[in-house]
Amino acid sequence: GQAQTPEPLKLIQTIEMQDVPVGPYTDHLAVDVKGQRIFATPQARKSVQVFDLNSGRFLHEIAGLGNPHAVLYRDDLERIYVIDGEPGLVRIYDGRDYHSLQTVSLLADADALGYDPATKLAYVTNGGRGAKLDYTMLSAVDTGTGEHIGDIKVATGVLEALAIESSTSKIYINLPRDNQVAVLDRDKRTVITTWPLTRGKKNMAIALDEGRHRLFVGCRNSDMSGTIVVIDTQTGKEIDSLPIGGWVDYLAWDPFSNRIYASCGTGYVYVFQARDPDHYDLAGKVETAVMAKTALLVPELHRLFVAVPHIGGTSAKILVFQTQGY
């Protein structure tokens, strides 16, 4: 008989969020690997909820937020950083007892977050259309001191997900209203260039295979369909486009398995296997839930976490998948 190829993801746990009202979105997740905790951002609840990774037990709620978009956890400092979009703040909390330590003021509509572990700087998008401005900032915040140390100004109304290159000073960031990817220099705090997208539009998610010079850009072509555009970061040229569902909001590249994971609000995670830097095959698509568009891959745990909002009869939850089949 023929050997069956296992599904690339296996559902192993469901963590129920607490008392989340009906609402279409829950945003980006973070994990404390050492402390075995996961941080969720149920936007309809205007809070960050904390759960035990092993048991799924509810541990704590950081309440009273405006619009939580993303969380960063620094285990060396035991600090939690929450991007709160409505007031335009980075809120910093003690990771042991969750009390507030500090707030960092940015422009309104703070949203996407990237972290550079070498410099300990967090990069946060803010301003733009949500702040009634015709430009957007990518602001650098020192996560050690809590100081807002500088900005990169980009002439666009919206900035979305970003990818930080460790071997250079480059940041790749989505400009969805312009159908472009901007390449920024985080040392000089300038825009180096922009790359137009012709194989997808409304680019919202991003991931980087730095070793093989490939950038993956998740595009929402329509409500029901999208593409991952593969770009050569050495030339800015589009290499390929991979079909996915609509409402993509999270992409991850796993260098251990050479796989791309794309979480789409149409209710599936799409998994692509790289044969080489120019060729990618669909390894499978795994069902999640409607508008479960944000996720988090934690390669060292062999886990993919998918955030599900409270819509209709579906309660807010976190689906925990084991990565497998490679």
Side-chain angles (χ1 to χ4, degrees):
Q2 290 185 328
Q4 294 294 311
T5 302
E7 282 287 313
L9 294 169
K10 178 184 179 182
L11 181 65
I12 59 170
Q13 185 184 18
T14 299
I15 300 172
E16 297 287 342
M17 295 190 212
Q18 302 292 302
D19 302 317
V20 177
V22 173
Y25 308 122
T26 180
D27 226 338
H28 292 279
L29 303 152
V31 162
D32 166 17
V33 174
K34 186 162 59 174
Q36 292 291 288
R37 293 178 293 176
I38 187 165
F39 305 91
T41 55
Q43 290 171 302
R45 180 78 178 172
K46 297 189 175 183
S47 73
V48 169
Q49 294 190 351
V50 189
F51 301 90
D52 182 279
L53 265 184
N54 296 307
S55 66
R57 182 170 60 92
F58 173 73
L59 298 176
H60 187 79
E61 181 170 56
I62 300 172
L65 305 178
N67 190 5
H69 281 293
V71 183
L72 169 70
Y73 183 72
R74 270 192 68 177
D75 61 2
D76 58 333
L77 297 181
E78 295 185 286
R79 288 183 189 171
I80 305 161
Y81 305 80
V82 179
I83 310 305
D84 194 356
E86 198 169 286
L89 297 175
V90 180
R91 299 182 185 268
I92 307 174
Y93 299 90
D94 188 290
R96 293 159 293 189
D97 63 10
Y98 305 101
H99 78 272
S100 177
L101 294 172
Q102 191 177 353
T103 58
V104 183
S105 295
L106 303 176
L107 298 172
D109 205 26
D111 189 349
L113 167 68
Y115 179 62
D116 182 356
T119 61
K120 313 297 186 188
L121 296 182
Y123 290 90
V124 183
T125 65
N126 59 108
R129 181 181 59 182
K132 299 180 180 179
L133 298 170
D134 61 0
Y135 61 89
T136 310
M137 294 293 197
L138 184 65
S139 298
V141 175
D142 187 319
T143 58
T145 65
E147 182 184 2
H148 174 198
I149 64 168
D151 305 288
I152 304 172
K153 185 177 180 180
V154 185
T156 188
V158 177
L159 290 175
E160 277 295 338
L162 59 141
I164 297 172
E165 194 164 67
S166 62
S167 60
T168 74
S169 60
K170 291 177 181 176
I171 294 176
Y172 306 98
I173 192 163
N174 280 327
L175 280 58
R177 300 186 84 186
D178 306 301
N179 279 1
Q180 294 177 343
V181 173
V183 184
L184 313 180
D185 187 315
R186 62 185 182 273
D187 291 342
K188 297 178 181 178
R189 296 181 189 156
T190 57
V191 179
I192 300 170
T193 189
T194 55
W195 295 332
L197 296 171
T198 65
R199 299 192 182 191
K201 59 185 180 180
K202 201 176 180 185
N203 46 314
M204 302 295 287
I206 204 163
L208 177 65
D209 173 7
E210 184 169 347
R212 302 196 292 186
H213 310 291
R214 293 295 179 265
L215 188 71
F216 309 108
V217 181
C219 298
R220 299 179 186 174
N221 298 340
S222 72
D223 284 347
M224 296 307 296
S225 66
T227 53
I228 300 171
V229 180
V230 183
I231 296 175
D232 183 334
T233 58
Q234 295 179 304
T235 64
K237 302 299 184 185
E238 295 166 309
I239 301 296
D240 200 357
S241 60
L242 314 173
I244 55 173
W247 280 88
V248 62
D249 206 60
Y250 177 79
L251 283 185
W253 167 254
D254 183 357
F256 300 107
S257 63
N258 291 334
R259 282 182 171 173
I260 308 166
Y261 295 87
S263 186
C264 298
T266 43
Y268 291 92
V269 173
Y270 291 73
V271 184
F272 291 89
Q273 181 73 56
R275 277 184 279 145
D276 57 54
D278 295 338
H279 300 93
Y280 303 83
D281 302 311
L282 183 66
K285 67 175 192 174
V286 178
E287 188 173 4
T288 54
V290 174
M291 294 312 290
K293 59 189 179 67
T294 52
L296 178 67
L297 177 71
V298 185
E300 58 265 47
L301 297 179
H302 303 287
R303 297 287 184 269
L304 179 77
F305 303 90
V306 180
V308 179
H310 181 180
I311 297 179
T314 302
S315 60
K317 64 191 71 174
I318 303 166
L319 304 178
V320 185
F321 293 91
Q322 178 182 322
T323 59
Q324 57 181 16
Y326 59 87

